[in-house]
Amino acid sequence: DGGITQSPKYLFRKEGQNVTLSCEQNLNHDAMYWYRQDPGQGLRLIYYSQIVNDFQKGDIAEGYSVSREKKESFPLTVTSAQKNPTAFYLCASSIKGGVVNTEAFFGQGTRLTVV
Amino acid sequence: QKEVEQNSGPLSVPEGAIASLNCTYSDRGSQSFFWYRQYSGKSPELIMSIYSNGDKEDGRFTAQLNKASQYVSLLIRDSQPSDSATYLCAVNGDNNFNKFYFGSGTKLNVKP
């Protein structure tokens, strides 16, 4: 089955730790995205990538880093510089970035909690 | 920062009724519009996309777009308890089609 797989589903981070969230897609989509969702709020864009080896900061990139070494994979690292990392993290992909009329599809999300 | 506004609700409707969800957006250049359904604790699921003014129907769902008024709506006919969820409106377009901007969602409760 084609889809977007995020792992782990739940993640606990200690203060000062870096953690990496995995996102893999087998839809052959060019564009991938990371969003953060806080309770009662909409999704906010952290990073996005249109093609392999290229990515751009979204609206709330501080304290996060990404890589796009393979078309299928777009991991997100939450660094210790992110002061309030507890949130629901969502990875999405779309067929092609930078064009109109492209739909985004989401993975099942990773819920990160700082302990 | 582009804004997408939705009434947070909850919107309560009886089973079988029509639920009407509304969304306004600030960027007049937006060109693509989407409705996602999100069950509690789950990820958003795309249910409708609309790109031109007017109505688009898919089963019990109808999306309506009015670019002049910067307004998007979603109608759910014959509402079912399984439709109870938060509905997110999203837009993209203008100079950068890579950025989907989301509203905070409207919580819909369909009462049996």
Side-chain angles (χ1 to χ4, degrees):
Chain A
D1 284 338
I4 304 168
T5 301
Q6 291 186 242
S7 61
K9 189 175 181 180
Y10 299 97
L11 185 57
F12 298 90
R13 192 193 94 166
K14 294 182 179 179
E15 295 281 353
Q17 269 187 339
N18 292 353
V19 291
T20 297
L21 284 59
S22 172
C23 179
E24 304 276 335
Q25 55 98 0
N26 60 4
L27 301 168
N28 199 32
H29 284 177
D30 287 324
M32 297 186 75
Y33 314 82
W34 275 105
Y35 285 89
R36 168 181 173 144
Q37 187 176 35
D38 293 283
Q41 297 191 30
L43 280 65
R44 292 183 290 167
L45 182 64
I46 304 172
Y47 269 97
Y48 63 95
S49 169
Q50 283 185 276
I51 57 173
V52 175
N53 293 323
D54 183 66
F55 50 83
Q56 305 295 329
K57 292 182 178 180
D59 300 313
I60 57 164
E62 185 175 352
Y64 300 97
S65 66
V66 294
S67 64
R68 186 88 187 275
E69 297 176 0
K70 298 186 298 181
K71 186 175 185 178
E72 312 82 62
S73 179
F74 192 40
L76 173 74
T77 297
V78 184
T79 74
S80 58
Q82 172 48 239
K83 297 306 179 188
N84 186 22
T86 295
F88 190 38
Y89 289 87
L90 290 156
C91 179
S93 70
S94 63
I95 290 176
K96 194 170 180 64
V99 297
V100 72
N101 301 354
T102 182
E103 300 169 335
F105 299 92
F106 286 87
Q108 67 269 47
T110 292
R111 196 166 298 278
L112 174 62
T113 303
V114 174
V115 296
Chain B
Q1 177 76 26
K2 296 174 173 53
E3 293 185 352
V4 180
E5 300 288 340
Q6 296 181 254
N7 187 321
S8 62
L11 172 66
S12 292
V13 301
E15 184 174 355
I18 296 175
S20 178
L21 305 164
N22 304 315
C23 170
T24 58
Y25 58 95
S26 63
D27 185 359
R28 189 169 288 277
S30 299
Q31 297 189 39
S32 303
F33 307 87
F34 310 90
W35 284 100
Y36 288 83
R37 177 176 62 201
Q38 186 175 27
Y39 293 112
S40 181
K42 303 296 184 183
S43 64
E45 172 193 9
L46 180 67
I47 54 173
M48 289 287 286
S49 58
I50 185 166
Y51 307 120
S52 56
N53 279 330
D55 294 0
K56 178 181 178 182
E57 185 175 321
D58 184 0
R60 295 187 297 113
F61 299 97
T62 298
Q64 300 174 316
L65 173 61
N66 183 327
K67 289 186 179 180
S69 300
Q70 296 175 238
Y71 179 89
V72 191
S73 66
L74 179 71
L75 299 178
I76 306 175
R77 290 182 299 281
D78 188 24
S79 295
Q80 301 298 309
S82 58
D83 294 326
S84 297
T86 296
Y87 289 80
L88 301 171
C89 174
V91 305
N92 87 350
D94 193 15
N95 295 320
N96 190 333
F97 302 124
N98 291 296
K99 294 188 174 185
F100 295 82
Y101 291 93
F102 286 80
S104 57
T106 298
K107 186 172 176 59
L108 172 66
N109 291 328
V110 181
K111 297 182 177 182

